[in-house]
Amino acid sequence: MRRVVLAVAVLLAGFGFAPGAVAVPAADPVKPIVVDGPVVSNTTTVAGSKAKFTFSGTAGQKVFTALGSDGPTSLVNGAVLTGPAGEQLGTAGSYVGLLPSGFVDVVVLPTTGTYTITVDPGGTRVGTYTAQVNSVPVPATGSATIDGPTAKLTIAKRGQLAEVRFTGTAGQFVHFHLDSAAVTSGAVTMWAPDGTLMYDDMLWASWLDYEVDRYTLPQTGEYRVLVDPTSFRTGVLDFAVNTIPADAVIPAVVDGAAVAVGNSVPGQNQRMTFTATEGQRIVITCVRIAAEDNDQTFLLVGPDGSKAVGFCGEFDRGILFDTRAMSAGSWSVEIDPKRSYIRKPTLRVLSVPADHVVDSSLGASPSMSLAIGQKAVVRFALTAGQRYFVGCTLANASHDVAVTFELLRPDGTREKTANCYASNGGQLFDTTAAPVAGTWSVRISPRLNAATGATLRLHAVGADVVKTATVGGAAASAATTPGQGARINFTATANLRIKATITASTYPSNLGTVELRNAAGTRLTSMSLAKASTLTYTVPTAGTYSLVVDPRHADAGSATYTVARG
């Protein structure tokens, strides 16, 4: 039987349409489902219809609903769980993929009766949709002992909680952690013996070795930790709690041996101490043991209590705290391992020589060797409008990303920043005309736990070489120095197809480019600056055109350029 909407029919008749019934899609398909029964499928075949599932429930029953669609890429708009009276009890947001990709979280059924899950495919989508409803048992429980063995709790069904209890004494300094490869997100709360909420946190990533770090118990009695997994997570959850001993204190000496700093039990912090003199330049290096050392927090604490944060990570290249001038007195590095890892990274405190300062000039290639933490400044004079090019070489090419080069104006402001990459052909700062006259400088700042060697090449760059070629006639040869370019001009008639060819190139790499430009400087096409490179192009209008040669990087060389009819 078709359903009709009489109001629409009357409205259509009012606009002159013939009266009649307006067809509406067939009733939404309904499939029965049994709590704790198998997965049930329901298929929609008409655009706009919804898939419904019904099940019988009793008052006070806790249920969890898992949902899915017919394929790993099938998007579902969402779902709603309603009660016997049609009241909304829970919802599922949009989801994609097979069951259980979506879910309606735990609901306590208010009455005995028939409940309905309505899946909305969204838009005109049709397909097969799945659902499964399970009852939620009481929380999985366990008990733990401070400094005792790990308690294991099994979350057997979707929506089930886990609860672990332990007895503690007021003032006891403890650390507890959760460890689960299966339960990968959710929430954890801890309650004091008098029912006070002490801790509440959401967990969005892996729980593997999630911890509550360094907690002082406020009361004597039984503490309760409740774990609420997100969505459909089930599996084994390990819980352990231990007392934390006093912070370990490790003495170090400036320019002395490296020291291993690490905790002996989860939650324990360490403090490395050393003494500095007034104005002494210090760098502190770090060698990490494993990737997890990224989770450690390092604080450099001065004699006046001032603090700075450092990191012992891959991108810090072994520099925990970069070079700084110290005040006289006792300093310390406080290490908080975080989580439950027991790690012993190696730290070393080194004095740093004064920065290396070189007065140089265009045409020179100053070299320098820098100790760990030491920086360098190379100064050179430029006149206003003078063209210059700066090249570079590192003694160890693997240090490229760890050494920063800054080009500084005469007033000390930064003009550019670059790294010295071998793959960049030794180019540091490409050809530029100095906007102001004065003493310019390049500041070299390594950040790595190793000595560094670097060489700069300071080139004065003359005006670009300009030559003339003839279409179908004489070729043009041009030689350039590092940073210098060339321009080969020629005249062409409208709609002429030209063929430009490079021969006899002596440039050491194929990194350069040759662009065809019109008289307005607009790029039309290009080719690489390589032996036997060729480009063809039909010029639209009569006029002067140019082959603009950019050797790139620090390349110097020469080549012959021929322009023929193509």
Side-chain angles (χ1 to χ4, degrees), residues 238-256:
D238 292 344
F239 175 87
V241 57
N242 62 270
T243 53
I244 303 172
D247 292 351
V249 179
I250 305 103
V253 177
V254 176
D255 293 326

Side-chain angles (χ1 to χ4, degrees), residues 149-514:
T150 298
K152 292 185 176 292
L153 296 83
T154 299
I155 299 174
K157 300 183 75 172
R158 299 173 187 139
Q160 187 179 19
L161 306 181
E163 181 182 274
V164 63
R165 296 172 181 257
F166 66 91
T167 300
T169 304
Q172 203 166 9
F173 201 30
V174 300
H175 163 281
F176 75 78
H177 71 273
L178 304 164
D179 185 355
S180 177
V183 182
T184 55
S185 60
V188 58
T189 53
M190 183 166 72
W191 306 82
D194 65 357
T196 302
L197 178 62
M198 296 173 53
Y199 186 84
D200 187 359
D201 192 18
M202 290 300 299
L203 310 174
W204 301 108
S206 172
W207 278 14
L208 186 61
D209 278 337
Y210 174 80
E211 71 168 359
V212 174
D213 189 31
R214 302 170 64 85
Y215 212 103
T216 301
L217 300 182
Q219 303 164 19
T220 297
E222 187 177 61
Y223 289 80
R224 182 167 61 97
V225 178
L226 189 67
V227 178
D228 182 0
T230 297
S231 67
F232 43 80
R233 308 295 181 184
T234 61
V236 176
L237 178 68
D238 292 344
F239 175 87
V241 57
N242 62 270
T243 53
I244 303 172
D247 292 351
V249 179
I250 305 103
V253 177
V254 176
D255 293 326
V259 297
V261 293
N263 52 332
S264 58
V265 296
Q268 184 187 31
N269 287 1
Q270 304 85 47
R271 189 168 72 254
M272 182 188 75
T273 61
F274 63 95
T275 300
T277 58
E278 187 66 31
Q280 189 173 21
R281 285 160 48 95
I282 292 292
V283 64
I284 302 177
T285 65
C286 174
V287 177
R288 64 179 189 163
I289 303 303
E292 291 82 357
D293 290 343
N294 286 337
D295 293 317
Q296 293 179 319
T297 299
F298 297 84
L299 287 178
L300 177 63
V301 182
D304 61 354
S306 60
K307 296 181 179 180
V309 179
F311 298 94
C312 183
E314 176 183 358
F315 298 106
D316 297 288
R317 304 285 172 176
I319 299 298
L320 181 60
F321 294 101
D322 208 353
T323 304
R324 64 191 66 208
M326 316 296 276
S327 56
S330 179
W331 289 74
S332 65
V333 177
E334 296 181 353
I335 304 106
D336 182 353
K338 297 295 184 185
R339 302 171 69 173
S340 63
Y341 296 122
I342 297 177
R343 297 295 185 196
K344 295 185 182 296
T346 301
L347 307 187
R348 192 178 184 196
V349 184
L350 297 172
S351 60
V352 180
D355 289 344
H356 192 75
V357 179
V358 178
D359 288 315
S360 190
S361 59
L362 295 181
S365 298
S367 295
M368 61 225 70
S369 295
L370 304 177
I372 297 173
Q374 188 181 25
K375 297 173 174 54
V377 175
V378 177
R379 301 186 296 212
F380 55 97
L382 294 174
T383 58
Q386 187 169 16
R387 285 165 34 109
Y388 65 95
F389 174 95
V390 182
C392 64
T393 304
L394 290 176
N396 188 331
S398 67
H399 293 171
D400 49 13
V401 298
V403 183
T404 301
F405 295 80
E406 298 171 281
L407 178 63
L408 305 179
R409 286 172 167 246
D411 63 1
T413 57
R414 184 169 55 198
E415 180 81 358
K416 299 177 182 177
T417 301
N419 293 90
C420 184
Y421 295 108
S423 60
N424 209 25
Q427 173 181 305
L428 187 61
F429 299 114
D430 204 357
T431 303
T432 307
V436 295
T439 300
W440 289 65
S441 58
V442 175
R443 182 165 58 204
I444 306 169
S445 303
R447 187 180 174 88
L448 74 163
N449 188 9
T452 305
T455 299
L456 293 185
R457 292 182 298 280
L458 307 174
H459 298 280
V461 181
D464 288 347
V465 177
V466 179
K467 294 294 184 74
T468 301
T470 303
V471 176
S477 296
T480 61
T481 59
Q484 189 178 34
R487 180 182 293 267
I488 313 300
N489 297 326
F490 63 92
T491 301
T493 57
N495 300 314
L496 177 66
R497 187 167 182 81
I498 61 99
K499 178 180 180 181
T501 303
I502 299 173
T503 58
S505 173
T506 63
Y507 289 100
S509 72
N510 297 330
L511 298 174
T513 60
V514 178

Side-chain angles (χ1 to χ4, degrees), residues 467 469 487-495 498 516-519 522 524 537-548:
K467 294 294 184 74
R487 180 182 293 267
I488 313 300
N489 297 326
F490 63 92
T491 301
T493 57
N495 300 314
I498 61 99
L516 175 63
R517 297 184 187 178
N518 60 20
T522 303
L524 304 175
Y537 190 81
T538 301
V539 299
T541 59
T544 299
Y545 292 84
S546 302
L547 297 174
V548 179

